[in-house]
Amino acid sequence: MTEKDDTFLARWLDGSLTSEELASFEASPDYKFYQKIRLGTEQITPPSFDEDEQLIKLTKTREGHLPKKGISRQLWPYGIAAAIALLIGIFFFPSSSTTLTTAYGEQNTVTLPDGSEMVLNARSTCTFSKKTWKKERVLSLDGEALFRVKKGSSFKVRTTSGEVTVLGTIFNVKSEEDLLEVSCFEGKVSVYSRNETQLLTKGQAMRTIANQPLTQWEFLERSPSWTKNESTFRSIPAKYVLCSLEKQFDIQFEKSNFNDNALFSGSFPHNDLQIALKSVFGPLEVNYELNPDRTVILK
């Protein structure tokens, strides 16, 4: 797992990351966003510059007069760099935020600043601010995580599809593209999504997928199956199952003739790729071919 400190972005921009840090960052879901900003700043054109005018203004400055207009050409790149750093800091690293990322097939247990426990599933990213944690326990999640929340003030998990609010409980959140799935294993969970609030108690789960009706169900399990190295699904479009396979085994699918919306119920193990593929595509009655480059062609 990769943890980015307050200087991480600056070290990336000036090329001082270690090869290990750079490789881990390039494999993270955040990399594309930062790279777009970096490439965009390279297109910025500095303002026009009149050397004679600037020389006159510089002379006046030395005589005790401050220039009213203009900007030094030499200072322009530094001003741009400072502005970019400020904007990136505001949007991506607010209040000295910490970002945690897991690799393919990796799980990692993290103790949050208040003592709550978070277990990140494979290829998941979580961001939170240590400075503001005492006032408001809030974090953002892209992927899947199990939370064991220490009793106290409200605890919030924000995703692209909704927000989960709890008070001293154990719950699982899965955020994937336009999907949000929440399971409550202890206590109560409030889920806000699609301008509606759903209250879940122990043994209840819900799922929202864009353009599909909200679904709810009950379960008996005491913890999510992925913490025991097995992924389990309940009547879910197959594209999300394929995404989970990719995260666990670092594989890619070629699926031009595959029905992404076919519903799948079942599970696959995390310790054997061949058995995992058979467990998914057998019930779906789909033929596949696993190539040496870890590409799976669906037929």
Side-chain angles (χ1 to χ4, degrees):
M1 184 181 69
T2 301
E3 180 172 346
K4 302 178 183 63
D5 58 31
D6 294 344
T7 67
F8 187 91
L9 184 60
R11 291 189 291 114
W12 171 61
L13 289 172
D14 67 17
S16 62
L17 290 180
T18 65
S19 57
E20 182 179 358
E21 287 178 322
L22 180 60
S24 178
F25 183 37
E26 290 178 344
S28 73
D30 299 330
Y31 179 74
K32 291 182 180 179
F33 294 104
Y34 301 128
Q35 185 67 356
K36 286 181 180 179
I37 291 178
R38 185 176 187 175
L39 293 176
T41 59
E42 294 176 356
Q43 307 302 317
I44 297 176
T45 303
S48 58
F49 177 76
D50 188 319
E51 293 182 2
D52 293 335
E53 181 182 357
Q54 293 302 315
L55 180 58
I56 294 172
K57 290 180 179 179
L58 179 59
T59 302
K60 289 183 178 180
T61 301
R62 288 179 177 176
E63 294 174 352
H65 301 284
L66 294 177
K68 296 181 180 180
K69 297 181 181 179
I71 182 170
S72 168
R73 185 167 186 158
Q74 286 79 7
L75 294 179
W76 169 254
Y78 299 101
I80 288 295
I84 293 168
L86 178 61
L87 289 175
I88 293 177
I90 290 173
F91 288 104
F92 293 103
F93 294 97
S95 303
S96 300
S97 63
T98 297
T99 299
L100 306 172
T101 302
T102 47
Y104 290 102
E106 180 186 20
Q107 294 181 16
N108 202 86
T109 301
V110 179
T111 300
L112 297 170
D114 68 309
S116 297
E117 183 180 87
M118 173 181 66
V119 187
L120 280 175
N121 199 359
R123 297 293 289 167
S124 298
T125 298
C126 175
T127 302
F128 59 90
S129 172
K130 292 180 180 179
K131 286 188 176 181
T132 61
W133 191 263
K134 290 183 179 180
K135 296 181 180 179
E136 186 180 22
R137 297 191 294 181
V138 178
L139 55 83
S140 61
L141 174 68
D142 179 14
E144 185 169 20
L146 173 67
F147 296 89
R148 298 183 177 94
V149 181
K150 186 176 181 179
K151 292 183 179 180
S153 59
S154 180
F155 188 101
K156 296 181 180 180
V157 178
R158 290 172 177 164
T159 74
T160 56
S161 299
E163 183 175 278
V164 183
T165 304
V166 298
L167 180 62
T169 189
I170 300 175
F171 65 103
N172 189 81
V173 179
K174 182 180 180 69
S175 175
E176 194 75 53
E177 296 180 358
D178 54 1
L179 173 146
L180 174 62
E181 187 172 296
V182 181
S183 303
C184 181
F185 294 91
E186 184 178 299
K188 295 181 180 180
V189 176
S190 175
V191 183
Y192 180 78
S193 180
R194 297 185 183 181
N195 298 319
E196 293 184 12
T197 300
Q198 303 292 327
L199 182 63
L200 304 179
T201 58
K202 181 179 179 180
Q204 294 183 330
M206 59 82 67
R207 179 196 301 142
T208 64
I209 300 177
N211 303 320
Q212 293 190 20
L214 181 146
T215 57
Q216 289 185 275
W217 65 92
E218 296 183 352
F219 60 89
L220 299 175
E221 293 80 11
R222 296 183 178 181
S223 62
S225 63
W226 64 264
T227 61
K228 302 173 184 177
N229 294 315
E230 181 178 84
S231 292
T232 302
F233 306 88
R234 178 190 178 96
S235 299
I236 192 171
K239 67 176 182 179
Y240 299 107
V241 182
L242 268 59
C243 184
S244 293
L245 283 166
E246 290 177 340
K247 289 184 175 182
Q248 292 297 335
F249 295 103
D250 190 10
I251 57 177
Q252 297 293 323
F253 286 97
E254 291 186 7
K255 48 183 181 178
S256 57
N257 297 318
F258 179 71
N259 180 11
D260 273 349
N261 294 317
L263 296 182
F264 176 81
S265 293
S267 61
F268 67 78
H270 295 174
N271 58 357
D272 192 309
L273 175 57
Q274 292 288 0
I275 294 178
L277 293 175
K278 291 179 181 178
S279 299
V280 172
F281 297 113
L284 290 174
E285 298 183 347
V286 173
N287 294 321
Y288 64 89
E289 179 182 343
L290 175 60
N291 292 329
D293 64 354
R294 302 185 72 79
T295 299
V296 181
I297 302 176
L298 304 182
K299 303 179 179 179

